[in-house]
Amino acid sequence: MSDHRLVIVGSGPAGYTAAIYAARAGLDPVVIAGAVTAGGSLVNTTEVENFPGFPDGVLGPDLMDRMRDQAERFGAQVVYDDVVALDLTGPSKQAVTADSGIYTAHAVVLATGSEYRKLGLDGERRLAGHGVSYCATCDGALFRGKALIVVGGGDSAVGEALFLSRFGSSVTVVHRRGELRASAILTERAATEPKIGFAWHSAVTDILGDQSVTGVELTDTRTGATRSIAAAGVFVAIGHEPRSELVVGQVATDAEGYILTDHPSTRTDLPGVFAAGDVVDHVYRQAITAAASGCRAALDAQDYLGSLRSEAAIAASSA
C-alpha cells in the first residue's frame, strides 16, 4: 500500500491534463492509466484535426503520448494498471488495482471517460479507424466527397448526419424504426437537407470491406430481407456508456450513470473526490473540453488539499 496526496483514475485528455497541472503544483500525482486503455478513446483515433496547437493535425495516440510525457516531465507517476475497486467514502481514499496493489490518497480525480455504444459486429471491430468512426466532429473532414452511413435515430445520430452533410457526397441515416427519435427541429433540418437520406426499418448487420469500409449490409427489421449499400464511412451514433461502474453508489450519478458535479466546479458530493472528462460530460465529449475539465479538477483538488493543510496547521498550533 502506498499513500499519496492525489490519485487520478483514468488517463486520456482529462486525466493527463489534471496530472500536468497537479504535478506542476507539486502534488506528486499518481495516474492509474489502465493496463490496455491508457490514453482513453483517442488512442483508437487516427488523425485529430481540431485540437488547438496542431495546424496539420496529430494522430490520437501521439497526442496522448505527448500529454503523458508532459505530465511525467513535471513529476507525475503513471501506472499502467487497472483499478478494480474504489473506496471513496472516508477521508483516506483507496484505489485497488489488479496488479500493483492499493493506492491511498487524500484526494481523487475520476477521469474514467465513457465508451461509445457499439453495434457488436466483427466488421466494426476490424475496421475501426479505417472507415468506422464514432465521432463526426473528429473524423468527418476525412471523408470529403464520399458516401457515408450514420447508424442511429436520436439527436446524436441526426446531429452527426447534419455535420457530415458538409463533407460527404451523401449521408444515409440507418434506423431500426420508421421514424426518428430526435427532436423536432433536428428532424426537420435533416428532412430538408438534400444530401441526407434514410434507410427506415433497417439494422446494420455487417460492415463490408477488407482494408477499409466499402459498404454495409442492412437487414429489414420487419421482413428479415437483406441488402447492401456502398459507403466509405460508417458513423455509429447509438449512444455512450459512462465508465462509472466503480463509483455508482458512492458518488451521485444521474439516471444514465454520468457523475454529477457541483458545476462549474468539478466537486462531487464526496469531499476530496472530483470528476472530469466524459464521465461527467454527456453533451460535448471533445478532447479539448475533457482537457479543460481536467485542468479544473486539478485546481479544485489543489484547493482542497490546501484547505486540509491549513486545518492541520491550525489544529497543531492549538494543541
Side-chain angles (χ1 to χ4, degrees):
M1 182 180 295
S2 56
D3 188 49
H4 305 272
R5 279 180 283 181
L6 176 64
V7 165
I8 299 166
V9 183
S11 46
Y16 284 149
T17 302
I20 291 168
Y21 274 78
R24 291 189 74 249
L27 300 181
D28 301 319
V30 173
V31 182
I32 307 178
V36 177
T37 59
S41 60
L42 276 189
V43 298
N44 296 316
T45 302
T46 50
E47 192 164 8
V48 180
E49 294 187 318
N50 55 5
F51 199 88
F54 297 92
D56 298 320
V58 59
L59 294 176
D62 290 346
L63 179 59
M64 291 301 92
D65 286 347
R66 294 186 186 198
M67 285 190 176
R68 180 204 62 213
D69 292 348
Q70 190 173 2
E72 290 181 323
R73 174 193 167 200
F74 292 117
Q77 177 188 351
V78 179
V79 177
Y80 298 100
D81 201 352
D82 294 319
V83 174
V84 296
L86 286 167
D87 184 355
L88 306 174
T89 54
S92 179
K93 325 298 180 184
Q94 286 193 351
V96 182
T97 63
D99 297 315
S100 53
I102 300 174
Y103 294 81
T104 64
H106 301 292
V108 169
V109 171
L110 301 170
T112 49
S114 67
E115 297 177 303
Y116 294 106
R117 193 172 293 146
K118 296 180 173 60
L119 298 170
L121 303 173
D122 288 340
E124 177 186 24
R125 288 187 288 270
R126 181 168 46 85
L127 296 171
H130 299 278
V132 173
S133 175
Y134 302 89
C135 178
T137 306
C138 306
D139 299 330
L142 305 175
F143 294 89
R144 294 181 186 273
K146 306 292 186 180
L148 304 174
I149 299 286
V150 173
V151 185
D155 282 353
S156 294
V158 177
E160 298 270 275
L162 288 166
F163 182 84
L164 291 169
S165 68
R166 307 177 191 179
F167 306 102
S169 60
S170 66
V171 181
T172 301
V173 178
V174 178
H175 189 39
R176 300 180 63 89
R177 300 179 178 85
E179 60 181 7
L180 297 172
R181 295 180 290 105
S183 63
I185 189 168
L186 286 177
T187 297
E188 181 179 355
R189 288 176 184 171
T192 56
E193 169 53 57
K195 285 187 178 182
I196 295 179
F198 300 89
W200 302 114
H201 300 289
S202 298
V204 175
T205 48
D206 198 7
I207 297 177
L208 310 175
D210 294 326
Q211 302 301 316
S212 61
V213 169
T214 59
V216 297
E217 177 190 83
L218 301 182
T219 298
D220 191 296
T221 56
R222 300 164 300 177
T223 67
T226 62
R227 61 191 176 103
S228 297
I229 295 180
V234 177
F235 289 79
V236 181
I238 56 175
H240 291 73
E241 301 285 351
R243 300 187 63 191
S244 60
E245 61 275 6
L246 292 176
V247 299
V248 171
Q250 296 190 68
V251 299
T253 59
D254 66 14
E256 297 178 82
Y258 289 92
I259 297 173
L260 296 174
T261 58
D262 184 17
H263 188 77
S265 82
T266 62
R267 293 187 298 270
T268 70
D269 61 332
L270 287 181
V273 180
F274 309 89
D278 286 4
V279 75
V280 175
D281 177 14
H282 51 75
V283 178
Y284 300 104
R285 301 191 190 97
Q286 298 298 304
I288 189 64
T289 54
S293 68
C295 163
R296 287 166 31 224
L299 295 176
D300 289 339
Q302 180 181 350
D303 286 345
Y304 174 78
L305 292 169
S307 70
L308 292 183
R309 287 195 298 273
S310 297
E311 291 173 6
I314 292 172
S317 65
S318 61

